[in-house]
């Protein structure tokens, strides 16, 4: 979430409404003025609350810079302190605007509920935002993301889809992804990525092919890994090997991260930005696939036995100075 950019956009739109109809050039000038000093344009409780959320997220990101230097106990303590500060900032924002969607979402995520409890709370929040702010609509542009004021609610739905998949509620995950893609077809929040994994777990080859075609068969770590899982689960081993080979070739560090999964913290509030084809992309995809992989216990062993896959993982590890443990060890 680029909270500062969204704040600037929100403030510029609200000020333009106060000023009356502005030309494209005049609005661009206004947006530049807001960018130069956003705080000067915050003049209602709703935007004051959103500004607090933006500040809290900036501080959260800054506080994570030295995490690699901490041992496990220090990290757990630092993380707990970060989440407590984030929760307090959200409470402050909600005292100004009780319907601040991002504050409500972040407050839920910072509370570190169990995934099963989080599903129920996200469902309640989705309904609450429908009641308080009105149901989402694709609007005149055909994509709800174009409305910057709708984005908090879209983030809630995206978090719900991921949490449904994480808790093996795949039918709910599928329905939520369908809803998101209907509301925001350009899919700025990556519902298609959750959807790909969900369809693999449901062994829905037709649905996966439809989604892959919808995305122009461009492929990424989620789609390559999902196809490998789908073909494996369907018992189509030659196709599964081809998909796994594509995943290894096209996803930087894909073999390594599948055989050596690493901890990925809670998304606050949404999936981190990543460079296409990067190791971070592969890491996030493998992390989100963990519930499906856990439900397919032989998949990692099978992958490690495919020609060249294990060697590719070890080679990436050695080139980048990463840790290694035998994935097939007890």
């Amino acid at each position: 979430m680029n909270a500062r950019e969204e704040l600037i956009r929100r403030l510029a739109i609200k000020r333009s409404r106060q000023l009356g109809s502005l030309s494209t050039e005049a609005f661009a000038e206004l947006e530049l003025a807001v960018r130069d000093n956003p705080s000067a344009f915050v003049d209602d409780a709703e935007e004051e609350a959103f500004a607090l959320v933006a500040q809290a997220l900036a501080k959260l990101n800054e506080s994570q810079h030295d995490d690699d230097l901490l041992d496990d106990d220090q990290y757990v303590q630092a993380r707990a302190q970060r989440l407590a500060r984030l929760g307090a900032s959200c409470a402050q924002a909600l005292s100004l605007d009780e319907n601040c969607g991002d504050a409500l979402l972040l407050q839920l995520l910072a509370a570190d509920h169990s995934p099963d409890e989080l599903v129920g709370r996200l469902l309640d929040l989705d309904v609450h935002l429908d009641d308080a702010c009105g149901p989402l609509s694709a609007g005149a542009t055909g994509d709800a993301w174009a409305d910057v004021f709708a984005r908090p609610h879209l983030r809630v739905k995206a978090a719900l889809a991921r949490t449904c998949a994480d808790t093996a509620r795949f039918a709910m995950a599928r329905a939520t992804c369908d809803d998101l893609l209907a509301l925001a077809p350009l899919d700025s929040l990556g519902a298609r990525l959750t959807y790909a994994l969900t369809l693999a777990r449901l062994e829905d080859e037709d649905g996966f092919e439809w989604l892959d075609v919808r995305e122009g068969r461009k492929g990424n770590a989620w789609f390559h890994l999902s196809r490998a899982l789908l073909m494996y689960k369907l018992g189509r081993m030659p196709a599964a090997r081809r998909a796994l080979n594509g995943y290894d070739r096209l996803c930087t560090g894909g073999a390594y991260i599948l055989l050596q999964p690493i901890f990925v913290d809670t998304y606050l509030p949404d999936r981190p930005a990543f460079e296409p084809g990067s190791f971070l992309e592969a890491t996030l995809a493998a992390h989100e696939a963990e519930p499906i992989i856990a439900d397919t216990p032989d998949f990692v062993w099978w992958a490690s036995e495919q020609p060249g896959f294990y060697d590719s993982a070890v080679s990436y590890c050695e080139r980048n100075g990463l840790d290694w443990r035998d994935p097939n060890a007890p």
Side-chain angles (χ1 to χ4, degrees):
M1 174 184 177
N2 192 333
R4 187 176 188 276
E5 287 301 312
E6 287 193 20
L7 176 63
I8 290 168
R9 185 71 177 174
R10 289 167 66 108
L11 294 173
I13 289 172
K14 282 195 171 181
R15 183 56 60 92
S16 71
R17 289 172 180 169
Q18 294 171 3
L19 294 172
S21 180
L22 295 179
S23 66
T24 302
E25 293 78 9
F27 183 83
E29 289 293 327
L30 172 60
E31 201 166 29
L32 286 173
V34 176
R35 185 177 301 280
D36 187 55
N37 186 13
S39 60
F41 292 83
V42 175
D43 57 6
D44 65 37
E46 183 181 23
E47 298 314 318
E48 189 176 350
F50 191 87
L52 284 172
V53 170
Q55 292 166 15
L57 286 173
K59 290 176 182 177
L60 178 76
N61 291 333
E62 290 170 7
S63 71
Q64 294 174 319
H65 288 167
D66 296 327
D67 277 359
D68 289 345
L69 304 176
L70 304 178
D71 63 30
D72 289 348
D73 290 340
Q74 290 172 328
Y75 173 78
V76 169
Q77 183 179 7
R79 180 179 183 274
Q81 291 171 346
R82 276 199 297 267
L83 293 180
R85 287 194 297 269
L86 180 61
S89 296
C90 290
Q92 185 180 359
L94 291 168
S95 71
L96 297 167
D97 176 15
E98 63 182 8
N99 295 317
C100 180
D102 284 311
L104 289 164
L105 174 58
L106 284 164
Q107 190 176 59
L108 281 184
L109 299 175
D112 240 5
H113 296 294
S114 71
D116 284 320
E117 183 177 357
L118 184 58
V119 169
R121 290 178 178 269
L122 287 169
L123 282 167
D124 290 343
L125 178 53
D126 187 26
V127 172
H128 169 76
L129 292 176
D130 267 347
D131 293 341
C133 308
L136 288 167
S137 166
T141 66
D143 194 300
W145 187 256
D147 178 2
V148 71
F149 301 101
R151 294 181 185 181
H153 196 171
L154 289 169
R155 281 189 279 269
V156 169
K157 285 187 176 292
L160 175 59
R162 290 192 301 271
T163 309
C164 285
D166 195 38
T167 56
R169 293 172 170 86
F170 294 107
M172 287 177 61
R174 178 177 189 156
T176 307
C177 289
D178 276 333
D179 194 19
L180 277 165
L181 291 178
L183 288 165
L186 296 179
D187 194 26
S188 297
L189 282 171
R192 66 195 182 280
L193 310 179
T194 306
Y195 207 172
L197 291 170
T198 296
L199 292 168
R201 174 58 183 82
L202 292 172
E203 300 181 22
D204 183 352
E205 185 176 3
D206 289 341
F208 184 85
E209 289 299 328
W210 167 83
L211 184 65
D212 200 18
V213 170
R214 180 191 186 279
E215 299 305 314
R217 297 198 184 277
K218 297 174 184 176
N220 57 38
W222 282 266
F223 277 77
H224 295 310
L225 182 54
S226 294
R227 183 177 290 281
L229 279 161
L230 173 62
M231 294 298 107
Y232 179 84
K233 290 176 73 66
L234 291 174
R236 306 251 293 280
M237 293 310 171
R241 281 190 288 272
R242 289 192 296 273
L244 186 74
N245 181 54
Y247 168 73
D248 179 28
R249 288 186 297 102
L250 300 170
C251 304
T252 302
Y256 172 80
I257 202 62
L258 184 64
L259 301 186
Q260 306 286 300
I262 61 176
F263 173 75
V264 175
D265 207 349
T266 306
Y267 296 169
L268 295 169
D270 51 11
R271 185 181 289 112
F274 58 86
E275 289 293 327
S278 66
F279 180 61
L280 177 57
E281 178 187 296
T283 300
L284 296 177
H287 163 67
E288 292 177 33
E290 283 177 7
I292 302 170
I293 293 170
D295 195 41
T296 316
D298 293 334
F299 177 74
V300 171
W301 172 84
W302 170 82
S304 72
E305 294 293 307
Q306 301 313 300
F309 196 80
Y310 186 96
D311 292 340
S312 177
V314 172
S315 175
Y316 185 85
C317 175
E318 292 174 345
R319 291 197 311 272
N320 292 277
L322 301 171
D323 295 328
W324 182 263
R325 59 175 176 76
D326 185 352
N328 295 321

